[in-house]
């Protein structure tokens, strides 16, 4: 009896082993597929550090393993950033924070900003002429750092966790560093741009929406292109009231950088720029003023809707948060009525937002759909001076795709622009050469497989949340 039971157990064991086993061909194919997946996630070669290339706009990473930040943001800290290649070859198995593209930065790997126990394995040692390990070299002097290198982001200074963060964050164009009163190309939560802050209830709600969306996409049949239905409307569901839709702007400048460069405030609402997005406290103050004057209902005032209409890019009009100009009375003063310019309706291709300043300097932001003249870059006349005064209060600027075409470049205004090349022309970001198909880009510390390096990097870095 016992022999029969043992025999049945042996049969079950053999069947289980047969079920879990692979042929040599199946094993090789599975490994090749894993290697292909890793190469797709890490498409660029990583056998050269960018430090010899000098200051670049490039993808950066902060290594929290080699350079852990203190718990308190006020404690002293020596930040460091490493390039794409070093993030894999030298720090591939470490905890990394992806900072995405930063301008004018030289890789810090192998310098005194990182411990000597974490050398750069990709650069030539100047003493021996041999590739790596290099450590304790002096860092570049032109690098600038912000709180992101501590893994803190946004005006709220929240610690970033790629696995739990559900909302969309937006990177400021960065017109000033932290030491100058700006943000230094920080990433912002939409709620913090509006000044409302993120409450635990808002975060929980976004997580629930994300889970519901994922569940819905799993239940929705894919179309011919493999997409899970049309979720265009759901893409905007996380954006709070008052924040522009993602398709309406190309980039934005946070209120910190706007305040650090007050001259740019005047472009708010002009061609190439959306209406200013005030912090909620200022927006509600103006709304209360208009409600007291009988120009808004109580519900409109509560929602921060002001009595202006903006011309959108397609020539249609939609109610928005257009702001009064600086010439208007303060929120506790007497309200002046907004005026409309009587202008012919242009074609949709030429319609744009236009603002009008009255001669008595008490005009508010006007609504019109007339063609706005392009900024004159050659004439002696100053286009900037034709723009009305900016609204009071703290606001962020949202820029359309063609915003660079609409800056005044006269002799008086150009010096302000010249300080910020990113306003004059689109920036080019350095990208390492693509890794040759079927070849490995280099060896990572402690591993010799592209699969191992890919898995280590993917486990530590959020490489898909680019905005």
């Amino acid at each position: 009896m016992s022999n029969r039971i043992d025999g049945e157990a042996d049969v079950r064991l053999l069947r289980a082993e047969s079920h879990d086993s692979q042929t040599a061909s199946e094993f090789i194919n599975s490994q090749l597929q894993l290697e292909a997946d890793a190469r797709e996630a890490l498409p660029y070669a990583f056998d050269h550090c960018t430090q010899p290339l000098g200051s670049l706009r490039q993808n950066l990473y902060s290594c929290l393993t080699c350079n852990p930040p203190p718990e308190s943001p006020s404690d002293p800290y020596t930040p460091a950033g490493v390039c794409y290649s070093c993030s894999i070859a030298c720090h591939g198995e470490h905890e990394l924070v992806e900072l995405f593209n930063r301008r004018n930065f030289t890789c810090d790997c192998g310098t005194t900003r990182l411990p000597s126990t974490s050398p750069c394995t990709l650069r030539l040692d100047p003493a021996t002429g041999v590739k790596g390990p290099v450590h304790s070299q002096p860092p570049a002097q032109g690098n600038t750092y912000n709180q992101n290198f501590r893994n803190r982001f946004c005006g709220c200074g929240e610690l970033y966790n790629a696995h739990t963060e559900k909302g969309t964050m937006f990177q400021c164009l960065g017109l000033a560093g932290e030491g100058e009163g700006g943000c230094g190309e920080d990433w912002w939560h939409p709620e913090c741009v509006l000044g409302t802050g993120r409450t635990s209830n808002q975060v929980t709600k976004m997580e629930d929406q994300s889970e519901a969306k994922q569940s819905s996409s799993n239940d929705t049949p894919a179309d011919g292109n493999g997409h899970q239905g049309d979720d265009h409307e759901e893409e905007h569901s996380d954006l709070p009231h008052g924040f522009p839709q993602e398709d309406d702007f190309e980039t934005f400048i946070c209120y910190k950088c706007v305040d650090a460069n007050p001259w740019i405030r005047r472009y708010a609402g002009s061609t190439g720029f959306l209406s200013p997005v005030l912090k909620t406290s200022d927006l509600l103050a103006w709304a209360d003023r208009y409600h007291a004057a009988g120009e808004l209902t109580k519900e409109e005032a509560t929602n921060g809707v002001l009595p202006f209409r903006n011309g959108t890019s397609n020539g249609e009009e939609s109610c928005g948060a257009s702001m009064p100009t600086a010439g208007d009375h303060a929120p506790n003063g007497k309200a002046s009525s907004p005026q409309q310019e009587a202008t012919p309706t242009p074609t949709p291709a030429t319609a744009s937002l236009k603002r009008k300043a009255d001669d008595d300097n008490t005009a508010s932001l006007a609504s019109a759909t007339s063609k706005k003249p392009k900024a004159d870059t050659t004439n002696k006349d100053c286009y900037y001076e034709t723009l009305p005064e900016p609204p009071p209060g703290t606001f962020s600027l949202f820029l359309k795709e063609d915003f660079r075409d609409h800056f005044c470049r006269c002799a008086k205004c150009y010096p302000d622009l010249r300080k910020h090349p990113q306003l004059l022309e689109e920036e080019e970001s350095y990208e390492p050469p693509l890794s040759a198909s079927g070849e490995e880009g280099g060896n990572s510390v402690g591993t010799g497989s592209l699969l191992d390096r890919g898995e280590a990097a993917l486990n530590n870095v959020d490489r898909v949340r680019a905005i």
Side-chain angles (χ1 to χ4, degrees):
M1 186 70 175
S2 61
N3 290 337
R4 186 172 65 83
I5 294 177
D6 291 342
E8 289 179 353
D10 290 342
V11 170
R12 287 195 299 269
L13 179 60
L14 288 173
R15 286 177 178 173
E17 291 177 347
S18 176
H19 177 74
D20 296 336
S21 64
Q22 285 181 304
T23 66
S25 176
E26 290 173 339
F27 176 77
I28 292 173
N29 288 336
S30 66
Q31 291 299 303
L32 289 175
Q33 183 59 49
L34 289 172
E35 293 275 354
D37 291 343
R39 185 170 289 106
E40 183 178 359
L42 306 173
Y44 301 108
F46 42 87
D47 50 359
H48 288 90
C49 173
T50 61
Q51 191 264 1
L53 301 178
S55 181
L56 301 169
R57 177 172 174 81
Q58 58 179 314
N59 242 28
L60 292 180
Y61 305 81
S62 177
C63 183
L64 305 184
T65 302
C66 296
N67 197 24
E71 291 187 8
S72 173
S74 60
D75 288 345
Y77 177 64
T78 302
V82 300
C83 67
Y84 168 85
S85 295
C86 289
S87 75
I88 302 170
C90 309
H91 306 267
E93 298 177 3
H94 298 173
E95 182 182 0
L96 298 171
V97 179
E98 184 169 15
L99 308 178
F100 296 95
N101 280 318
R102 298 299 170 99
R103 66 178 63 94
N104 303 329
F105 201 95
T106 304
C107 181
D108 283 324
C109 192
T111 71
T112 53
R113 285 189 168 270
L114 291 168
S116 59
T117 53
S118 299
C120 179
T121 63
L122 298 180
R123 293 206 301 274
L124 294 178
D125 188 331
T128 63
V130 179
K131 192 173 187 179
V134 175
H135 62 84
S136 304
Q137 290 188 335
Q141 297 300 313
N143 290 348
T144 58
Y145 306 86
N146 66 0
Q147 65 171 352
N148 296 167
F149 292 82
R150 297 173 176 248
N151 194 31
R152 293 187 179 274
F153 291 82
C154 186
C156 65
E158 184 176 273
L159 288 170
Y160 182 75
N161 188 324
H163 302 292
T164 59
E165 177 64 46
K166 301 297 181 182
T168 301
M169 299 181 73
F170 298 85
Q171 187 179 25
C172 174
L173 190 59
L175 298 190
E178 286 184 341
E180 303 165 311
C183 75
E185 298 184 274
D186 205 345
W187 290 83
W188 290 77
H189 302 116
E191 300 86 358
C192 298
V193 172
L194 298 177
T196 59
R198 304 181 88 204
T199 64
S200 58
N201 291 336
Q202 288 174 317
V203 176
T204 301
K205 181 179 178 182
M206 285 191 296
E207 292 176 351
D208 293 341
Q209 288 175 337
S210 178
E211 292 174 0
K213 181 177 178 180
Q214 179 64 34
S215 175
S216 175
S217 66
N218 292 338
D219 296 337
T220 304
D223 61 19
N225 296 322
H227 300 133
Q228 298 290 340
D230 184 7
D231 59 356
H232 177 73
E233 295 298 326
E234 291 184 275
E235 290 178 359
H236 305 307
S237 61
D238 290 346
L239 296 178
H241 174 75
F243 193 89
Q245 297 298 325
E246 292 183 52
D247 292 340
D248 293 341
F249 65 95
E250 177 73 14
T251 185
F252 95 106
I253 303 173
C254 75
Y255 57 81
K256 289 185 177 182
C257 290
V258 170
D259 288 347
N261 296 272
W263 61 270
I264 204 171
R265 294 169 57 92
R266 201 161 179 174
Y267 285 100
S270 65
T271 304
F273 302 81
L274 299 185
S275 295
V277 176
L278 269 78
K279 293 185 71 173
T280 300
S281 57
D282 292 331
L283 176 63
L284 293 179
W286 281 103
D288 287 343
R289 166 200 153 176
Y290 283 111
H291 172 56
E295 298 181 35
L296 286 179
T297 66
K298 184 176 181 179
E299 180 180 2
E300 288 174 329
T302 302
N303 292 328
V305 178
L306 298 192
F308 297 100
R309 296 179 66 82
N310 296 339
T312 59
S313 59
N314 62 2
E316 300 174 353
E317 289 188 330
S318 61
C319 193
S322 303
M323 295 292 102
T325 61
D328 277 343
H329 298 288
N332 58 357
K334 183 178 178 181
S336 60
S337 299
Q339 300 181 4
Q340 290 253 340
E341 282 188 294
T343 55
T345 302
T347 62
T350 60
S352 61
L353 178 68
K354 184 176 182 179
R355 303 192 302 172
K356 175 177 177 289
D358 289 345
D359 293 337
D360 61 1
N361 199 33
T362 60
S364 57
L365 187 62
S367 166
T369 53
S370 60
K371 184 177 180 181
K372 190 83 171 180
K374 185 177 179 180
D376 191 347
T377 61
T378 57
N379 240 341
K380 62 180 180 180
D381 297 329
C382 180
Y383 165 75
Y384 183 83
E385 294 295 336
T386 68
L387 301 175
E389 288 296 319
T394 302
F395 63 81
S396 299
L397 272 180
F398 286 77
L399 289 55
K400 298 182 180 180
E401 187 175 5
D402 63 344
F403 74 92
R404 293 181 178 88
D405 296 335
H406 304 289
F407 281 116
C408 180
R409 288 170 168 80
C410 73
K412 180 181 178 181
C413 296
Y414 189 75
D416 286 328
L417 279 176
R418 187 172 54 189
K419 299 174 185 176
H420 310 285
Q422 65 269 37
L423 297 179
L424 291 170
E425 58 184 6
E426 187 172 354
E427 298 175 283
E428 292 188 5
S429 298
Y430 170 81
E431 290 186 350
L434 288 172
S435 178
S437 178
E439 296 181 7
E440 299 183 358
N443 289 325
S444 175
V445 175
T447 176
S449 166
L450 176 61
L451 170 62
D452 294 337
R453 293 193 299 273
E455 287 181 340
L458 289 174
N459 285 333
N460 288 298
V461 181
D462 173 28
R463 298 178 184 272
V464 297
R465 199 176 287 268
I467 304 177

